[in-house]
């Protein structure tokens, strides 16, 4: 089971369960932390495999594109490494980039639904980031790489495992908040509602703010950041329960 803030509670008819991605969703990738993590990842790969900086960046990008999670992608490409050692190094320094976000805190406080974090990174690193943002107490649990094991978003099995573990909700009663278009497409195919946080990160597979036709069909509502002001009009159903 995921790390939890309190015991499991099941939903009643019509209630929604809210699932939030972490990176690029609860904080914007433009603040520099995502780029910092990618540089740290490349530094680790240079030291581990003797690659040049250019080789490491090429392999890191290919790994993320292959599996939507760097460790899994590297292993798929035939490069074995200690996931705990790699992720700890990659994500170190979070406190230099993430600070308390009053607008995010107000947004989460305004939502009465049960809320969980669902990320492809390790839970221990996600917990650090949530504490830096000052929002850990808003979530009943954190689901990440350790819980999912060999699967990760956008694989349908990863979504199903998380929702099954939460208990009391069907996939169609869940809302996924995401900045990755691959994960939004996967969530919509499973019947979930989707809130897309627009970014300018080409590695998340979204090149612009308007969206092509298929993307529009899988996005229920899009915003530039998670705030009450940004979503009250476009997603009033979030506050109806």
């Amino acid at each position: 089971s995921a790390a939890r803030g309190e015991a499991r509670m099941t939903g009643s008819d019509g209630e929604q369960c809210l699932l939030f991605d972490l990176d690029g969703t609860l904080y914007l990738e433009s603040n520099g932390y995502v780029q910092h993590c990618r540089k740290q990842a490349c530094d680790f790969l240079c030291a581990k495999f003797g690659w040049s900086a250019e080789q490491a960046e090429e392999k890191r990008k290919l790994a993320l594109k292959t599996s939507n999670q760097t460790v899994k992608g590297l292993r798929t490409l035939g490069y074995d490494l200690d996931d705990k050692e790699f992720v700890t190094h990659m994500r170190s320094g979070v406190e230099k980039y993430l600070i308390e976000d009053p607008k995010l805190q107000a947004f989460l406080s305004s939502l009465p639904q049960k809320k969980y974090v669902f990320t492809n990174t390790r839970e221990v690193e996600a917990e650090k980031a949530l504490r830096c943002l000052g929002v850990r107490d808003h979530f009943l649990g954190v689901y990440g790489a350790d819980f999912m094991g060999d699967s990760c978003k956008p694989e349908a099995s990863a979504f199903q495992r998380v929702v099954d573990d939460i208990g009391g909700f069907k996939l169609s009663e869940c809302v996924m908040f995401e900045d990755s278009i691959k994960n939004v497409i996967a969530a919509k195919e499973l019947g979930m509602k989707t809130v897309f946080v627009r970014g300018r990160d080409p590695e998340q597979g979204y090149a612009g703010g308007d969206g092509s036709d298929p993307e529009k069909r899988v996005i229920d509502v899009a915003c530039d950041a998670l705030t009450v002001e940004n979503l009250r009009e476009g997603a009033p159903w979030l506050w109806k329960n």
Side-chain angles (χ1 to χ4, degrees):
S1 283
R4 294 186 183 282
E6 61 181 73
R8 174 182 306 178
M9 298 159 62
T10 55
S12 58
D13 288 345
E15 190 176 358
Q16 295 169 327
C17 178
L18 309 184
L19 302 177
F20 290 82
D21 176 50
L22 173 63
D23 302 316
T25 300
L26 290 176
Y27 70 90
L28 301 182
E29 50 84 23
S30 57
N31 75 2
Y33 181 53
V34 168
Q35 294 307 318
H36 166 77
C37 289
R38 289 173 180 169
K39 182 183 181 304
Q40 296 270 95
C42 286
D43 291 347
F44 183 96
L45 296 175
C46 288
K48 170 83 174 169
F49 297 109
W51 294 338
S52 68
E54 293 76 17
Q55 287 173 316
E57 176 65 355
E58 182 184 335
K59 297 289 188 187
R60 183 200 64 74
K61 281 186 174 179
L62 182 59
L64 188 63
K65 187 176 181 181
T66 300
S67 298
N68 222 37
Q69 188 209 56
T70 309
V71 170
K72 186 177 180 188
L74 286 166
R75 286 176 173 165
T76 299
L77 295 170
Y79 304 106
D80 195 30
L81 71 170
D82 184 297
D83 59 330
K84 294 180 177 61
E85 188 182 8
F86 174 73
V87 174
T88 300
H89 182 87
M90 178 174 74
R91 298 187 70 96
S92 63
V94 60
E95 67 284 347
K96 298 174 187 172
Y97 293 88
L98 302 188
I99 59 173
E100 290 202 9
D101 183 343
K103 285 196 170 184
L104 176 63
Q105 292 168 341
F107 172 69
L108 295 171
S109 293
S110 76
L111 298 168
Q113 300 94 322
K114 295 172 181 63
K115 294 176 279 291
Y116 298 84
V117 170
F118 178 19
T119 173
N120 276 349
T121 197
R122 295 189 63 226
E123 288 85 344
V124 64
E125 301 301 333
E127 295 268 4
K128 290 176 192 173
L130 294 171
R131 287 195 293 273
C132 288
L133 292 167
V135 298
R136 176 60 186 91
D137 290 346
H138 290 281
F139 299 101
L140 295 175
V142 176
Y143 290 92
D146 293 340
F147 172 79
M148 287 184 282
D150 292 334
S151 63
C152 68
K153 295 182 292 181
E155 294 168 25
S157 59
F159 288 86
Q160 190 67 61
R161 281 192 70 193
V162 167
V163 174
D164 286 349
D165 192 72
I166 290 169
F169 293 99
K170 302 171 190 169
L171 283 160
S172 60
E173 295 169 325
C174 298
V175 184
M176 190 72 221
F177 295 76
E178 264 286 356
D179 73 311
S180 163
I181 198 66
K182 286 182 186 176
N183 296 342
V184 166
I185 291 167
K188 180 52 68 177
E189 285 176 348
L190 292 167
M192 301 170 77
K193 272 195 156 91
T194 59
V195 177
F196 181 66
V197 181
R198 295 188 198 98
R200 293 295 178 268
D201 184 356
E203 291 190 50
Q204 292 302 331
Y206 194 71
D210 53 350
S212 66
D213 286 341
E215 286 166 356
K216 283 179 180 173
R217 286 197 293 271
V218 300
I219 297 169
D220 287 305
V221 62
C223 64
D224 292 319
L226 296 181
T227 68
V228 174
E229 296 81 2
N230 284 347
L231 286 166
R232 181 74 80 172
E233 189 176 333
W237 38 267
L238 283 171
W239 288 273
K240 280 202 173 150
N241 288 330

